[in-house]
Amino acid sequence: MKPSLSVKVGGLKLRNPTILAAGVLGVTGKLLTSVAMSGAGAVTTKSIGPEPRDGYENPTVVRVRCGLLNAMGLPNPGIKEFRKELEDVKKTVNIPVIASVFGFSPEDFSDVAAVMRDAGADAIELNVSCPHVEAVGRQIGQNPDLVSKTVKKVKDQVDLGVFTKLSPNVTDIVEIARAAEKAGTDAIVAINTVRGMKIDIKTSRPILSARIGGLSGAAIRPIAVRSVYEISKAVQVPVIGCGGIQCWEDAVEFLLAGASAIEIGTAIMDEGLEVFNKVVDGIESYLAQKRISEVSDIVGRAHSY
Ligand code: RRO
């Protein structure tokens, strides 16, 4: 018997538990469509704000051992322009499209979310966790009251599942997750990138133009697994795992830690879009070998030990 890979998370039904993470290939409708065709269960857009932003000057990305550092600076075309991209992708794909939104106040978030809803978004992901843009990541995402206000405002405005993506760059990620849950979030996404930096020893200069960036990739996986484990123990809403997932074994680890679905981002650079099918096939074989009929049966299993 073939195990069932479909999962329900925050009001969405996914054909499998893999989701394209925000920020990677989510800038245009065409790219989102190609990820959907490659087997992902859902796709997330790049974070979109109220107005167009150029982002930081180059260099904005640098590879480090075991990962990737980025400080893009929220480059995006702004919601007015992006709306068309979302409408396009919704015409061509039949999997859920999650719209990642950011803003500088709870009102910004809800205004952008409302346009995303009108353009056909299936759920909203609140990016309150950018690692190096003060207002978005630090002022909002590190403050439980502001996270709560933001979630409430968006929930009041749009009748869609609202997911809150949290930062690992806080003293207690569980406290922020609890605040988001209390305010009505439908799922928690854990985690955004970890603050880091790289310095060129020949010139003595920080490499990224913003100096400090966010680390993603294999290096942050244990931080993400621990975050998912702690958050899923503390809240009732589903948790979506994100951070360093490169292969099916990594995905299974997140499911056991308590994730109901997982996001893949940085791994696409090394593995290509085939990573989605490989991860899905691997999860399927793992379940079949263990004679487990549904993905949800293994979610959180590590908590019984
Ligand atoms: O645009 C970025 O520089 C960025 C964002 Br919005 C984010 O949420 N996480 C990240 O690592 N980079």
Side-chain angles (χ1 to χ4, degrees):
M1 183 204 59
K2 256 183 163 225
S4 159
L5 289 186
S6 70
V7 294
K8 285 193 179 132
V9 52
L12 297 182
K13 187 162 191 264
L14 310 187
R15 62 185 173 184
N16 69 60
T18 66
I19 303 174
L20 171 72
V24 187
L25 300 181
V27 218
T28 67
K30 278 206 178 82
L31 284 169
L32 286 164
T33 301
S34 52
V35 181
M37 313 260 266
S38 74
V43 291
T44 313
T45 69
K46 168 92 184 126
S47 293
I48 303 296
E51 300 295 335
R53 269 176 74 99
D54 288 338
Y56 300 132
E57 276 174 25
N58 282 327
T60 52
V61 181
V62 58
R63 270 197 191 262
V64 293
R65 259 174 269 143
C66 320
L68 193 77
L69 267 172
N70 89 83
M72 311 291 294
L74 291 152
N76 81 98
I79 184 60
K80 256 197 214 135
E81 195 58 36
F82 187 75
R83 183 192 176 122
K84 295 182 231 126
E85 301 292 336
L86 184 53
E87 284 167 349
D88 275 358
V89 70
K90 282 300 298 176
K91 279 185 209 138
T92 45
V93 309
N94 57 1
I95 60 167
V97 179
I98 303 166
S100 174
V101 307
F102 77 89
F104 299 95
S105 65
E107 290 70 28
D108 276 355
F109 275 88
S110 69
D111 290 350
V112 178
V115 181
M116 291 291 201
R117 174 206 53 206
D118 295 345
D122 296 284
I124 304 293
E125 182 174 283
L126 305 177
N127 185 356
V128 292
S129 46
C130 182
H132 43 70
V133 175
E134 249 338 89
V136 181
R138 311 255 240 151
Q139 278 159 19
I140 298 183
Q142 297 188 346
N143 179 330
D145 287 343
L146 277 180
V147 168
S148 170
K149 283 199 181 101
T150 305
V151 173
K152 274 197 188 128
K153 184 87 191 159
V154 177
K155 280 300 292 179
D156 283 350
Q157 179 83 21
V158 301
D159 191 17
L160 287 177
V162 171
F163 306 168
T164 309
K165 185 163 185 177
L166 299 188
S167 169
N169 309 305
V170 293
T171 311
D172 184 6
I173 197 168
V174 172
E175 184 195 6
I176 313 280
R178 283 206 177 102
E181 179 181 47
K182 208 162 158 221
T185 200
D186 297 284
I188 299 286
V189 182
I191 55 177
N192 207 318
T193 53
V194 178
R195 276 167 69 78
M197 91 184 278
K198 181 162 175 65
I199 295 168
D200 182 340
I201 61 166
K202 286 189 218 101
T203 61
S204 314
R205 282 168 173 266
I207 290 184
L208 296 171
S209 73
R211 297 180 186 81
I212 289 174
L215 180 63
S216 59
I220 72 165
R221 191 183 322 117
I223 302 172
V225 171
R226 182 269 300 163
S227 302
V228 167
Y229 182 82
E230 287 190 328
I231 294 167
S232 61
K233 207 172 192 157
V235 302
Q236 302 298 315
V237 291
V239 180
I240 299 171
C242 179
I245 296 167
Q246 293 177 312
C247 58
W248 70 265
E249 289 93 335
D250 299 341
V252 168
E253 193 182 352
F254 274 79
L255 297 169
L256 296 171
S260 301
I262 55 104
E263 294 190 353
I264 300 178
T266 303
I268 294 170
M269 300 195 185
D270 291 323
E271 304 288 323
L273 287 178
E274 300 84 75
V275 67
F276 289 100
N277 274 335
K278 284 191 203 156
V279 168
V280 172
D281 289 350
I283 298 173
E284 188 175 38
S285 309
Y286 175 85
L287 296 176
Q289 207 200 349
K290 290 191 169 285
R291 301 192 181 286
I292 295 170
S293 56
E294 307 217 357
V295 177
S296 54
D297 290 346
I298 65 164
V299 171
R301 269 205 185 178
H303 289 264
S304 30
Y305 300 97

